[in-house]
Amino acid sequence: MNNDQIADMEDIQGLILRGYNFRYIRYIIFSIADAQGARDFCAALLPGGGKPMCITNAEPWPGGIKPGYCLNAGFTYQGMLQLIGLPNCNTVAKASFELFTIFQAGAADPNNTQQIGDTDDSAPEHWWNRSGGWLLNQPPSPDGKELHIQLTLFTHNPESREAYYNTLLSMIPQVAGNPAVIPAFYKDSDPIAVGEDLDYIHFGYKDSLSQPRISNTLWNQKEVRLLTGVSTIDDRPIVPLYRFAIATNSPAYNAHKLLENGTFAAFRLLYQDVAAFYGFIASDKNASPELVAAKMCGRWFDGTPLVVSPDGEDKRLKDFDYTNFNYEMPTPNQQGPRLSDDLGAMCPYAAHIRRANPRDDGKVKGNEPINGKPQYAGIHRVLRRASPYGPPYKQDEPAEVQRGLVGLFMGASLADQFQFVMSQWISQGSFRFPDKSPNLSGIDPLFGPQPSDGDPDDKSFDYNTGNGKYKVIPGLERFIRTDGSLYLFLPGIAGLKSLSEGTIPG
């Protein structure tokens, strides 16, 4: 699979190549009680098997009409051990060393948690029970060893979500009168509306605006965009398909055939402290809360990018206007002033979206030009399929109302994609040179420092005011807390068939 090859839509799970735009979602984690019964359950979920429900692949929907549900599956390393056994797992690991090592260690591994900032109150010993949704009688273990299969069910309304979930449970084989796989945890996601727009998160920002543009997929073809009523003017740089759908002949890594057309993902359950966030953006009486929030994110609340409209929201933007921009040289169809923001005077280096995707800023470590050409963060881009959970925030509500973001952060390489972005760009400053901000851009301001973080640079949010001076807002605290995490493998359909048979392809 190289840059010129077309995605195998029949074999790739659908959510890898496109967002479904279904509003009512249930994220379920199962524990395997009987290995053969779990294999039979996986077999029942294969497309074309005639069962009531099956895994959704990336093929177009007939007539362009959305189905009643979509369903996707991922497996932890402990789950794969149960399904195919240690010798087969070792074979896959040996042939896929660059991809498999971090997955094999798992999200709760101390090295992994330290790198991405899952420490203090976000450490694994606090996961799963705190947010509600834990279903097993015994409390969760710190290493998550009892969590094996993660299914995501996408539906159109709460009633159909419940109905399809019950159908899914009815498909679980019974072994000696007990289910072969047991629901251990679930979390529902419902949309947050601002007016008629359903794409908002609890902090108040419009979401789901920017995803990688994957090469040679149907959804990026001009004709398909025209049919779906989306502007065809898309300046996003193209990222090779093998960065998201694993290829056995990729130039970037080695991969066993079991992994082909699959991907890896970090499943994340992230509590958001909305009251603390709103308190911080209003803490400087000389700056409007809306401006501070925009500087922290890199977008105004309605999604307008700061480099497109530095002074406020632009209601004229549509479709790719929200993603057609760079930080150094404007893209061909970029709206607004079309100026270089090399000094971070419009969008701070510290802003969340500039850290997560520095685009053409070659002064960011890990994003340096290659042969004089910008990388556009292509090696490190992450597919984000996440959505809000919990009720909208209300002033004067009781403390610790559970709300936040839950979902999957996907890429062929956890090390080069999710873990790199979290450890090198999100969780630390000094990631760009030069950087004249007083705190060297500190930590991502939407995350904030952990209580044990002793670096004074991480305790404030600093941004260039555009006249060579910097606004320093002290008192930055932790706004996002990890309440659960798993590292998953999402197999291709052929890979799922192998798992259901307890084998690996030769």
Side-chain angles (χ1 to χ4, degrees):
M1 187 183 296
N2 57 45
N3 285 3
D4 299 323
Q5 291 178 310
I6 301 299
D8 186 347
M9 312 290 273
E10 188 176 358
D11 195 48
I12 298 172
Q13 292 199 48
L15 85 168
I16 297 173
L17 297 187
R18 61 172 173 181
Y20 299 135
N21 203 26
F22 283 38
R23 301 298 184 182
Y24 295 86
I25 307 169
R26 179 163 292 173
Y27 300 88
I28 316 136
I29 303 173
F30 292 90
S31 182
I32 294 175
D34 180 85
Q36 184 54 52
R39 295 185 200 104
D40 294 341
F41 182 50
C42 291
L45 294 174
L46 289 166
K51 299 298 183 180
M53 297 178 68
C54 67
I55 298 301
T56 303
N57 64 18
E59 291 184 298
W61 298 321
I65 300 172
K66 287 185 177 183
Y69 74 92
C70 289
L71 183 68
N72 292 106
F75 300 84
T76 65
Y77 178 69
Q78 293 296 323
M80 289 183 66
L81 278 176
Q82 297 248 19
L83 294 172
I84 61 175
L86 180 60
N88 283 332
C89 282
N90 286 341
T91 298
V92 175
K94 185 177 180 180
S96 319
F97 180 79
E98 303 100 320
L99 304 184
F100 215 74
T101 304
I102 287 177
F103 164 72
Q104 198 169 16
D109 173 74
N111 290 327
N112 291 338
T113 58
Q114 191 67 37
Q115 277 200 49
I116 68 172
D118 282 348
T119 62
D120 297 63
D121 209 24
S122 292
E125 59 263 30
H126 304 298
W127 291 354
W128 307 117
N129 230 353
R130 186 165 46 189
S131 72
W134 184 255
L135 300 173
L136 298 181
N137 291 328
Q138 66 272 27
S141 61
D143 59 5
K145 62 184 178 183
E146 70 273 48
L147 304 177
H148 303 134
I149 303 172
Q150 192 276 317
L151 297 184
T152 308
L153 173 63
F154 302 84
T155 65
H156 297 293
N157 53 63
E159 294 77 22
S160 64
R161 178 170 61 195
E162 207 61 41
Y164 281 118
Y165 178 61
N166 288 331
T167 299
L168 189 65
L169 295 182
S170 74
M171 295 171 59
I172 297 173
Q174 299 288 310
V175 178
N178 296 306
V181 299
I182 303 167
F185 178 84
Y186 84 99
K187 186 60 65 179
D188 284 347
S189 172
D190 294 354
I192 296 175
V194 173
E196 296 182 357
D197 195 327
L198 302 178
D199 285 320
Y200 278 76
I201 63 171
H202 288 293
F203 285 152
Y205 299 105
K206 183 176 172 64
D207 199 24
S208 304
L209 290 169
S210 183
Q211 297 283 8
R213 182 184 180 187
I214 304 174
S215 65
N216 295 322
T217 59
L218 179 67
W219 319 113
N220 284 322
Q221 293 180 9
K222 176 180 178 180
E223 294 79 5
V224 173
R225 292 204 299 268
L226 283 170
L227 287 171
T228 56
V230 176
S231 165
T232 61
I233 303 172
D234 185 358
D235 293 345
R236 292 175 301 163
I238 293 174
V239 182
L241 178 62
Y242 62 77
R243 294 289 178 193
F244 300 103
I246 294 170
T248 54
N249 61 347
S250 161
Y253 50 74
N254 296 310
H256 189 275
K257 189 165 180 60
L258 178 72
L259 307 186
E260 189 168 38
N261 287 326
T263 200
F264 289 98
F267 175 82
R268 304 284 283 170
L269 181 69
L270 303 174
Y271 167 79
Q272 295 176 335
D273 190 340
V274 179
F277 170 77
Y278 283 159
F280 180 77
I281 64 175
S283 63
D284 189 310
K285 303 308 178 185
N286 296 314
S288 75
E290 293 79 12
L291 176 63
V292 175
K295 294 292 187 180
M296 291 171 68
C297 178
R299 296 182 185 271
W300 297 94
F301 278 131
D302 76 338
T304 300
L306 282 171
V307 295
V308 170
S309 182
D311 299 321
E313 298 178 351
D314 187 343
K315 301 300 183 183
R316 299 168 297 177
L317 302 184
K318 62 178 183 178
D319 298 335
F320 291 115
D321 292 340
Y322 291 99
T323 56
N324 286 343
F325 65 90
N326 276 334
Y327 297 114
E328 298 287 326
M329 295 292 292
T331 70
N333 296 286
Q334 181 171 322
Q335 302 298 303
R338 297 179 56 79
L339 299 174
S340 170
D341 195 31
D342 183 65
L343 297 178
M346 291 185 286
C347 181
Y349 309 141
H352 176 71
I353 69 165
R354 189 160 182 168
R355 304 175 87 114
N357 177 15
R359 298 176 182 260
D360 66 333
D361 189 346
K363 299 179 180 71
V364 172
K365 67 180 179 183
N367 197 43
E368 297 86 356
I370 297 178
N371 298 324
K373 295 182 179 180
Q375 279 199 56
Y376 297 107
I379 296 172
H380 306 301
R381 292 305 312 278
V382 175
L383 272 171
R384 178 176 169 274
R385 308 294 191 211
S387 52
Y389 71 88
Y393 173 72
K394 295 181 180 179
Q395 285 188 333
D396 302 321
E397 68 181 14
E400 288 288 312
V401 173
Q402 295 302 307
R403 63 171 59 86
L405 195 74
V406 57
L408 298 164
F409 296 77
M410 299 186 293
S413 171
L414 286 166
D416 288 340
Q417 292 167 277
F418 171 76
Q419 198 140 310
F420 179 93
V421 171
M422 287 298 300
S423 64
Q424 301 301 309
W425 293 345
I426 299 292
S427 298
Q428 61 175 284
S430 303
F431 57 87
R432 187 192 192 275
F433 183 83
D435 181 353
K436 294 183 179 180
S437 57
N439 68 344
L440 297 175
S441 294
I443 198 167
D444 188 312
L446 291 190
F447 280 77
Q450 293 285 13
S452 65
D453 187 342
D455 188 343
D457 286 344
D458 292 345
K459 305 295 186 181
S460 67
F461 172 56
D462 305 355
Y463 65 87
N464 188 337
T465 59
N467 58 3
K469 297 181 180 180
Y470 284 82
K471 168 75 74 174
V472 176
I473 305 179
L476 187 66
E477 57 184 290
R478 191 73 175 180
F479 303 128
I480 293 177
R481 181 186 74 204
T482 304
D483 276 358
S485 186
L486 297 172
Y487 284 176
L488 301 171
F489 170 57
L490 282 68
I493 303 304
L496 180 61
K497 186 173 188 296
S498 292
L499 295 181
S500 74
E501 295 169 349
T503 62
I504 60 174

